[in-house]
Amino acid sequence: MIDVKTVLCRPGRMDNYSYLITDKETGQSAVLDPSETEPLITACKKYNISPKYIFNTHHHFDHTDGNLELKKLFNAQVVACSSDASRIPGFDIGVSENNNFMLGQSRAEIIRVDGHTIGHILWYFPEDKILFTGDMLFNLCIGGLFEGTPEQMWHSLQKIKKLPDDVKFYPGHEYTLHGASDALFFSSNSPAANAYIKNAQTKLQNGLPVAPTELKVEKECNPYLKAGNFDEFFNLLIR
Ligand code: FE
Ligand code: ZN
């Protein structure tokens, strides 16, 4: 089983979330998407964590800028999608669709979700029911299509829809309030969406991250996950 610590990076600018993941049985740890170095070094000290791995969801700088320095400092190994070997700083270990990767005794399953980028992966811990979605899925919205096609993103979204409702996801940015405007635009009178947004506002006002969020409620409220077919999804993208 894993323990997750959330570290906000680039606050008020890009609002990235980096995560410290620790396997409780062995203490083996990883940093997921180190957006910048300083806040993560501070958090590692605070929690007495010495990461063995750096996990990346995709190659964008705001998810990998801390790779080289943390790798050097902790003698950690960088794990990312095999197809991104040439553009992930400090790349050491490649993973691909359906691979298992063990963090101590905790199992992560790799789910490839092309769309935001090609070679974007989700880190899914099935036994823990925890999913790290990077820039593929945010609260109430999805990441922009920088490299992939709408068809690829649609296909990727179906992979998330198939995961159990009680899985909780942690996104790569605090974008809930951006997402909220999308969700209300498409279903302003949905009680579920309104309750979701109210709960998010309360958390943010108290300085807390909105994540983690259950996929059950995300599937009910996120317009991109609610889309029933490709045409509906495509109309959301081009509106
Ligand atoms: Fe990105
Ligand atoms: Zn990002």
Side-chain angles (χ1 to χ4, degrees), residues 39-227:
L40 285 164
I41 292 177
T42 306
C44 284
K45 274 190 196 144
K46 178 175 167 192
Y47 299 115
N48 197 19
I49 285 173
S50 173
K52 182 176 161 80
Y53 299 110
I54 295 163
F55 295 160
N56 290 134
T57 59
H58 66 297
H59 71 92
H60 282 160
F61 75 93
D62 59 316
H63 300 255
T64 57
D65 257 6
N67 275 19
L68 291 180
E69 222 172 311
L70 292 175
K71 173 176 169 156
K72 203 167 137 197
L73 192 64
F74 293 107
N75 195 23
Q77 287 188 295
V78 175
V79 191
C81 188
S82 306
S83 71
D84 261 344
S86 64
R87 51 182 193 175
I88 293 273
F91 181 94
D92 290 302
I93 301 171
V95 288
S96 27
E97 175 78 340
N98 291 329
N99 278 178
N100 288 314
F101 191 92
M102 296 304 294
L103 179 67
Q105 292 174 20
S106 298
R107 181 173 69 97
E109 218 175 274
I110 304 301
I111 304 176
R112 181 157 169 170
V113 286
D114 293 329
H116 177 70
T117 64
I118 302 297
H120 192 303
I121 56 173
L122 308 181
W123 288 83
Y124 175 42
F125 291 79
E127 281 77 38
D128 293 88
K129 299 194 173 287
I130 286 177
L131 174 70
F132 296 93
T133 57
D135 282 1
M136 194 258 162
L137 180 72
F138 302 123
N139 293 86
L140 300 176
C141 55
I142 56 171
L145 293 175
F146 281 81
E147 296 172 7
T149 63
E151 285 79 4
Q152 283 174 315
M153 185 53 118
W154 169 251
H155 182 66
S156 297
L157 280 167
Q158 303 321 300
K159 293 185 181 180
I160 290 188
K161 272 201 201 177
K162 275 192 221 139
L163 298 177
D165 279 351
D166 58 350
V167 168
K168 290 185 168 129
F169 82 97
Y170 290 86
H173 294 262
E174 182 52 76
Y175 282 171
T176 313
L177 296 183
H178 301 269
S181 62
D182 271 19
L184 290 179
F185 183 84
F186 295 117
S187 51
S188 58
N189 48 12
S190 148
N194 280 293
Y196 187 126
I197 292 162
K198 206 166 166 232
N199 171 53
Q201 281 166 337
T202 306
K203 283 188 174 172
L204 292 170
Q205 276 157 14
N206 289 303
L208 298 170
V210 173
T213 307
E214 271 208 349
L215 285 184
K216 179 178 191 293
V217 53
E218 200 61 33
K219 290 176 194 175
E220 282 167 10
C221 298
N222 188 315
Y224 302 91
L225 284 175
K226 274 165 71 184

